[in-house]
Amino acid sequence: MIIASIRPTISFARRSFTSTRTQHRNETSALFLNASRLDYDQQLDFSSWHSICQNVILNRVDAIRDSDEMLQLLHQHQPTIVLAKEMTIPTTVVEQFPSSVQLICEAGTGYNNWPIAVARSKRIPVCNVPTYSTDAVAHMAITYLMNFAVSMFDQQRMLLNNDRSNFTGPFTLPLHEVGHQTLGLVGGAGRIGTKVAEIALALGMKKVIISSRQPTLPEGHSLYNHPNVECTTDVNYLLRHSDYVSLHTPLNDQTRRSFGRQQIEQMKPTAFLINTSRGGVCHEEELIQCLEERVIQAAGLDVTTTEPPPPDSKLWQLPNRI
Ligand SMILES: NC(=O)C1=CN([C@@H]2O[C@H](COP(=O)(O)OP(=O)(O)OC[C@H]3O[C@@H](n4cnc5c(N)ncnc54)[C@H](O)[C@@H]3O)[C@@H](O)[C@H]2O)C=CC1
Ligand SMILES: O=C(O)C(=O)COP(=O)(O)O
């Protein structure tokens, strides 16, 4: 899957290069910072890189300790292309990039780890892999939803704790039929949100509310004019009417810590929050407090502000956090 999905980056790179950078066809090297994050021997299609530039030398480095070391490596290798995956690249590093660097590639979807404004000011294009894991993330969000719907996590916890109260008498854990429920997708008109919506509708969910910066889905969107889909610019409306709220915006200056107590308090007390976007989109301290106070039922968090959370984070202990 990843071999196929990395191709958009390659084709973007090819377009960038063929339009403006053809003079460098003979002398291209790429530096992959912290390459051990994935096994890219299998995932980078070197023949594509070679069609951009005749000699691509991919140098992979790991376990970089600090900005100084990063800069030292960059100046030593003088790469044309710098690749990274989810590793925070400090502003000062991009400011001091060697002049050889002509393309930044994020080898995944979210590119919040790069100081884009600095790259832009230096006229270095940045590309990502937009479809790197669209289906996998959508499946993850739906897995949280279905588990919340039938209290699967709680049932398993009770079994592991040898707590038989729900298996000997009347069943007290909630069991919801999603056909009667509404899913709210914040930033839901994007790739992952749309895929989540499509699966939720296939499961027969009553309604999907998508919040977007546009009042309607664009013509040509797979859910345009769908009878069970509502598009709104009013996130508060979505929060008030959803049984599950799933976050799908990228992390940027507008979305950073944008989902906190004020938003959670508008959700139904019976509702669940799902975050598979970026931990930093949530105001994590306020989210933890709201979960402790049971302002909502529970949260499914594929992402946290720091990954993994620090050992003393309350996130490790909260019973209503998955
Ligand atoms: N948990 C994981 O392993 C993964 C997480 N992700 C995260 O999911 C995010 C979304 O991915 P895609 O759906 O593929 O991206 P996308 O770009 O297709 O969709 C993002 C949506 O958010 C909207 N948006 C952007 N800025 C906004 C703002 N300031 N306010 C409101 N809406 C805004 C966009 O208009 C778009 O509809 C990525 O940026 C990444 O952070 C992506 C892949 C894997
Ligand atoms: O591509 C992205 O934005 C991701 O977050 C992918 O994350 P992962 O490869 O699942 O650690």
Side-chain angles (χ1 to χ4, degrees):
M1 178 188 90
I2 295 167
I3 295 175
S5 63
I6 203 143
R7 290 220 166 93
T9 288
I10 306 289
S11 64
F12 182 97
R14 184 185 294 129
R15 270 185 273 125
S16 306
F17 271 83
T18 47
S19 57
T20 55
R21 317 281 186 190
T22 42
Q23 70 273 26
H24 288 281
R25 283 179 64 89
N26 296 323
E27 45 181 283
T28 299
S29 78
L31 183 65
F32 197 152
L33 302 170
N34 271 15
S36 67
R37 187 66 180 70
L38 287 173
D39 182 359
Y40 273 85
D41 273 348
Q42 319 229 325
Q43 289 153 8
L44 275 179
D45 179 348
F46 288 102
S47 60
S48 297
W49 287 99
H50 286 142
S51 70
I52 305 166
C53 326
Q54 278 163 11
N55 297 306
V56 180
I57 305 152
L58 180 68
N59 291 296
R60 300 147 41 112
V61 290
D62 281 320
I64 299 165
R65 282 181 302 258
D66 52 30
S67 301
D68 288 345
E69 192 175 357
M70 216 181 277
L71 278 168
Q72 196 188 330
L73 284 161
L74 284 158
H75 284 275
Q76 178 191 332
H77 290 281
Q78 296 282 321
T80 305
I81 303 165
V82 183
L83 292 114
K85 177 130 200 306
E86 287 171 68
M87 180 191 184
T88 301
I89 312 291
T91 299
T92 49
V93 169
V94 178
E95 278 168 355
Q96 295 174 65
F97 263 3
S99 57
S100 58
V101 178
Q102 293 174 26
L103 181 69
I104 289 168
C105 287
E106 173 59 21
T109 303
Y111 48 85
N112 49 286
N113 49 326
W114 287 97
I116 300 295
V118 182
R120 188 175 289 141
S121 71
K122 293 179 73 100
R123 303 179 67 79
I124 304 173
V126 181
C127 61
N128 66 340
V129 186
T131 53
Y132 162 69
S133 53
T134 305
D135 287 0
V137 180
H139 295 171
M140 176 70 82
I142 291 289
T143 300
Y144 280 118
L145 187 156
M146 290 306 293
N147 278 289
F148 285 137
V150 296
S151 302
M152 187 71 85
F153 296 124
D154 286 333
Q155 293 191 53
Q156 177 69 356
R157 192 169 12 231
M158 292 178 82
L159 274 174
L160 291 173
N161 293 340
N162 207 17
D163 171 356
R164 293 160 192 240
S165 51
N166 262 296
F167 305 101
T168 51
F171 199 83
T172 54
L173 291 172
L175 291 178
H176 303 289
E177 293 202 10
V178 295
H180 301 294
Q181 293 191 299
T182 295
L183 167 64
L185 300 168
V186 179
R191 288 181 190 82
I192 296 173
T194 299
K195 181 56 80 172
V196 176
E198 288 168 355
I199 302 171
L201 292 165
L203 289 169
M205 286 195 76
K206 188 175 80 177
K207 193 197 254 192
V208 174
I209 305 176
I210 288 176
S211 79
S212 168
R213 289 174 293 181
Q214 309 301 326
T216 55
L217 292 173
E219 245 182 280
H221 188 282
S222 64
L223 301 173
Y224 179 72
N225 268 348
H226 191 292
N228 303 97
V229 176
E230 201 175 334
C231 185
T232 178
T233 53
D234 183 356
V235 180
N236 294 336
Y237 171 84
L238 176 153
L239 297 173
R240 285 197 303 274
H241 290 90
S242 299
D243 300 295
Y244 308 87
V245 172
S246 188
L247 307 182
H248 297 288
T249 50
L251 176 60
N252 56 33
D253 289 344
Q254 289 82 50
T255 62
R256 194 177 307 278
R257 286 161 78 84
S258 65
F259 203 91
R261 178 176 286 276
Q262 205 195 334
Q263 287 67 35
I264 295 167
E265 282 184 342
Q266 296 192 61
M267 290 169 64
K268 299 180 187 181
T270 50
F272 300 91
L273 176 67
I274 298 164
N275 187 9
T276 58
S277 64
R278 285 288 183 266
V281 168
C282 285
H283 189 303
E284 203 160 87
E285 298 78 29
E286 291 184 5
L287 169 61
I288 290 170
Q289 282 168 7
C290 288
L291 288 171
E292 283 176 326
E293 294 166 24
R294 300 256 169 189
V295 176
I296 53 171
Q297 281 290 308
L301 308 175
D302 182 48
V303 287
T304 49
T305 306
T306 309
E307 295 182 359
D312 60 349
S313 168
K314 287 186 177 172
L315 281 173
W316 293 111
Q317 307 302 336
L318 280 171
N320 53 348
R321 170 281 306 130
I322 309 297

